[in-house]
Amino acid sequence: MSPAEAKWSVSAIGGHKRNQSSNESTSGSSGWSPERGTPDPAPSSGSSYGAVGTPLSAHSREFTPAIHSQQTQMVSAAPSSSTATYMALTEPINYRHLLERSVNCNWEYIVDKIVNNNDQQASIFLQQKLKIGSAEQKFSIIEAISEQAYQLMVNRFGNFLVQRCFEHGTPEQIEGIANAIKGNVLSLAMDAFGCHVVQKALDCVDESIKSEMVMELLRRVADTVVHRYACHVWQKLFELRWDGTPPAIMSYVNRELTGMWTQVALGETGSLVVQNIFENCVEEDKRPCIEEVIENLDVIARGQWGNWVIQHMIEHGAPEDANRALDIIIFNAAAYSMDQFASKVIEKLLKCSGADVVDRYLARICDGRPERPRIPLIDIASDAHGNYLIQYVLHNATKTQRDLVAAQIRKHMVSLRGSKWGSKCAWIVERYRNQSAIGSPVGGPPGSTGGVSIAASAGQLSGAPVTGPHHHHYHHHGGHHHKDRRTQYNLM
């Protein structure tokens, strides 16, 4: 029986139906992590993808002697090796036996299972075979993949297989797969699975092909730079190293996004792209973006995702840019300290700057007005977001700075003790005074109050427990993790 006859004999047995989609949901993944921006594990609505095939488990039915003895196998001499065998495929497929180095099979049939049935096990098997197979086997497998390259690129499990081809294929085969990408860069970049293939290709293809791919993406800069999936391709572009003259990517980007950088920085995906530009682009290329961000810093700092852009500028920006941003932040210190998102900018400023900047911040929030004796520091200490900043100062500032804050808080103890958030700052100040009175260091080990009972001190302050700096809050949105209080993630 020829390989072609063996392939068609499967339909006669009734073990495999082509073009039949599975409605079973899968709980696992392929095990090969993409380079950036892992897509959602299941579609957003309706049906979920299902893996059709047998699990790679030692307890699977096809691995038992009874089943194994019933499988039809055909052994023949392969052209590549005198010891190689060819196994005709019958369902359920014994993938473990196929993984033996000397065993060949109908690779097109396995690829069909991935394309038509979203077969996860078939994808895992071929990826393993590309790792351990002979040169002839790798060549034949990649040839079968190349025939349906685009369909595999946008497939939940097939995209991992195409990525492996860039690692194990010959230069001619890699070029062939790259040719399947050319002309489809935009659609692939905006696809949940295709975007990973484009990123892998940018790492592996020749620079001439890479330049063609980049030029395709530059046709729709505004749409793709903030796209949920395409933004990861943009980040890869900014990180690329070019041996020759690189294409003028940022000249196109700046021309398309002039006047739009604020909107880009305020978006979840756009904020990551802007930070990536800050890190990887030369001064001339990123200057228009920086200028627009500083010009609209007040709006961006108050944004859920924009505040990360300002934090990045404060911590890693050029001294001139960081100082310009600092002046704006100090001027609006009171308002920012009580804003849900801008308060993170203030926290970054306090942690990354020296004592002189903390002095400027405290001078600003301790500056009262004649018509209102209550200074902004007390409002901040009583605020749900700002109280953490005052706690941070009380725990980490210099003694002179702590004394200044404590003295102001003691003037408003009655008000602060009646506040849910202010009572925490008041409790720290009371403990600080008790410790200072007997010479104990502030911020000692828990339970140490310099000989004064914590319970006695806390009893006067409504029993408010002390809390540390901001807790970590994680938000998952669109497959990307952001650490809401401390550190922003890094997208698939």
Side-chain angles (χ1 to χ4, degrees), residues 1 8 26 56 73 89 137 151 181 195 200 225 232 236 249 270 279 309 317 387 405 411 437 439 468:
M1 182 183 298
W8 287 108
T26 58
L56 292 177
Q73 299 186 22
L89 300 176
Q137 288 174 334
Q151 292 90 330
I181 297 177
C195 66
K200 185 69 174 182
V225 78
H232 301 296
K236 172 61 71 174
I249 297 175
E279 292 178 354
V309 174
N387 77 91
V405 174
K411 297 178 183 178

Side-chain angles (χ1 to χ4, degrees), residues 148-162:
Q148 303 189 66
Y150 183 82
Q151 292 90 330
L152 289 169
M153 291 177 191
V154 296
N155 184 274
R156 183 182 185 184
F157 304 116
N159 77 90
F160 299 111
L161 186 57
V162 178

Side-chain angles (χ1 to χ4, degrees), residues 391 395 423-425 427-429 431 446-447 454 458 463-469 471:
Q391 290 185 55
H395 282 298
S423 60
K424 300 181 180 184
C425 297
W427 191 88
I428 296 174
V429 169
R431 186 180 68 168
I454 289 181
V466 67
T467 60
H471 296 294

Side-chain angles (χ1 to χ4, degrees), residues 207-398:
E207 291 199 349
S208 58
I209 300 177
K210 193 185 305 183
S211 297
E212 294 182 43
M213 294 170 60
V214 170
M215 296 310 296
E216 283 189 49
L217 195 63
L218 291 174
R219 296 174 186 171
R220 292 177 59 184
V221 174
D223 294 334
T224 54
V225 78
V226 294
H227 191 273
R228 180 179 181 181
Y229 305 120
C231 73
H232 301 296
V233 178
W234 277 106
Q235 293 181 67
K236 172 61 71 174
L237 285 182
F238 296 133
E239 297 169 2
L240 286 177
R241 296 177 62 90
W242 298 80
D243 295 330
T245 302
I249 297 175
M250 282 304 296
S251 63
Y252 287 91
V253 172
N254 285 323
R255 183 169 64 248
E256 291 289 329
L257 296 182
T258 298
M260 297 176 59
W261 284 115
T262 300
Q263 287 74 20
V264 173
L266 287 171
E268 178 183 5
T269 54
S271 68
L272 294 173
V273 173
V274 171
Q275 293 174 67
N276 204 287
I277 290 174
F278 288 172
E279 292 178 354
N280 297 294
C281 293
V282 298
E283 173 65 22
E284 179 183 358
D285 289 340
K286 64 185 178 183
R287 179 49 50 185
C289 177
I290 293 174
E291 291 298 325
E292 188 169 334
V293 166
I294 294 177
E295 183 180 348
N296 296 279
L297 186 145
D298 183 65
V299 175
I300 297 174
R302 298 173 189 263
Q304 181 179 5
W305 311 112
N307 76 87
W308 300 107
V309 174
I310 307 304
Q311 290 186 55
H312 191 284
M313 182 175 291
I314 292 172
E315 186 173 10
H316 305 294
E320 306 80 28
D321 299 326
N323 289 333
R324 290 170 60 192
L326 180 64
D327 292 340
I328 299 173
I329 294 169
I330 293 297
F331 181 79
N332 298 283
Y336 287 0
S337 297
M338 293 182 283
D339 184 86
Q340 179 181 2
F341 303 116
S343 61
K344 301 170 195 172
V345 176
I346 298 293
E347 184 177 0
K348 178 66 71 174
L349 179 147
L350 295 176
K351 289 185 175 182
C352 296
S353 304
D356 57 329
V357 175
V358 179
D359 286 336
R360 291 178 60 187
Y361 171 73
L362 293 179
R364 183 65 179 172
I365 63 176
C366 291
D367 184 19
R369 293 176 297 179
E371 68 276 10
R372 190 170 188 267
R374 184 181 169 105
I375 59 177
L377 184 148
I378 305 304
D379 295 327
I380 296 170
S382 304
D383 182 75
H385 308 294
N387 77 91
Y388 297 106
L389 301 174
I390 305 304
Q391 290 185 55
Y392 179 83
V393 172
L394 290 171
H395 282 298
N396 299 280
T398 65

Side-chain angles (χ1 to χ4, degrees), residues 6-286:
K7 178 178 179 180
W8 287 108
S9 66
V10 176
S11 60
I13 297 173
H16 175 62
K17 296 181 181 180
R18 299 166 65 95
N19 302 324
Q20 178 179 355
S21 298
S22 170
N23 290 325
E24 299 174 359
S25 62
T26 58
S27 60
S29 64
S30 70
W32 276 263
S33 300
E35 278 64 29
R36 192 188 294 274
T38 307
D40 294 339
S44 58
S45 62
S47 63
S48 59
Y49 296 109
V52 177
T54 56
L56 292 177
S57 169
H59 305 290
S60 298
R61 291 184 296 113
E62 68 272 24
F63 297 156
T64 62
I67 298 297
H68 182 72
S69 62
Q70 296 174 3
Q71 290 184 335
T72 304
Q73 299 186 22
M74 181 180 70
V75 179
S76 63
S80 61
S81 174
S82 58
T83 60
T85 61
Y86 183 91
M87 193 178 94
L89 300 176
T90 59
E91 297 288 350
I93 296 176
N94 188 341
Y95 287 115
R96 174 170 294 180
H97 182 65
L98 288 175
L99 279 175
E100 294 180 9
R101 184 176 176 85
S102 62
V103 176
N104 296 303
C105 70
N106 189 336
W107 310 118
E108 291 81 1
Y109 179 81
I110 305 295
V111 172
D112 285 345
K113 288 174 67 67
I114 302 172
V115 173
N116 297 324
N117 299 326
N118 290 310
D119 194 321
Q120 181 183 16
Q121 299 304 320
S123 175
I124 294 175
F125 161 68
L126 288 180
Q127 292 177 65
Q128 284 289 83
K129 199 69 174 179
L130 284 174
K131 284 186 175 181
I132 66 176
S134 64
E136 293 83 356
Q137 288 174 334
K138 293 180 181 181
F139 183 86
S140 300
I141 292 172
I142 295 176
E143 286 296 302
I145 293 170
S146 299
E147 293 177 3
Q148 303 189 66
Y150 183 82
Q151 292 90 330
L152 289 169
M153 291 177 191
V154 296
N155 184 274
R156 183 182 185 184
F157 304 116
N159 77 90
F160 299 111
L161 186 57
V162 178
Q163 292 180 59
R164 300 291 83 78
C165 290
F166 287 111
E167 300 171 2
H168 301 286
T170 64
E172 294 77 15
Q173 288 177 324
I174 293 176
E175 183 177 355
I177 295 176
N179 288 332
I181 297 177
K182 289 195 301 183
N184 298 299
V185 173
L186 283 172
S187 61
L188 288 171
M190 292 189 284
D191 182 81
F193 310 117
C195 66
H196 306 302
V197 178
V198 176
Q199 293 175 66
K200 185 69 174 182
L202 289 172
D203 278 332
C204 301
V205 300
D206 292 337
E207 291 199 349
S208 58
I209 300 177
K210 193 185 305 183
S211 297
E212 294 182 43
M213 294 170 60
V214 170
M215 296 310 296
E216 283 189 49
L217 195 63
L218 291 174
R219 296 174 186 171
R220 292 177 59 184
V221 174
D223 294 334
T224 54
V225 78
V226 294
H227 191 273
R228 180 179 181 181
Y229 305 120
C231 73
H232 301 296
V233 178
W234 277 106
Q235 293 181 67
K236 172 61 71 174
L237 285 182
F238 296 133
E239 297 169 2
L240 286 177
R241 296 177 62 90
W242 298 80
D243 295 330
T245 302
I249 297 175
M250 282 304 296
S251 63
Y252 287 91
V253 172
N254 285 323
R255 183 169 64 248
E256 291 289 329
L257 296 182
T258 298
M260 297 176 59
W261 284 115
T262 300
Q263 287 74 20
V264 173
L266 287 171
E268 178 183 5
T269 54
S271 68
L272 294 173
V273 173
V274 171
Q275 293 174 67
N276 204 287
I277 290 174
F278 288 172
E279 292 178 354
N280 297 294
C281 293
V282 298
E283 173 65 22
E284 179 183 358
D285 289 340
K286 64 185 178 183

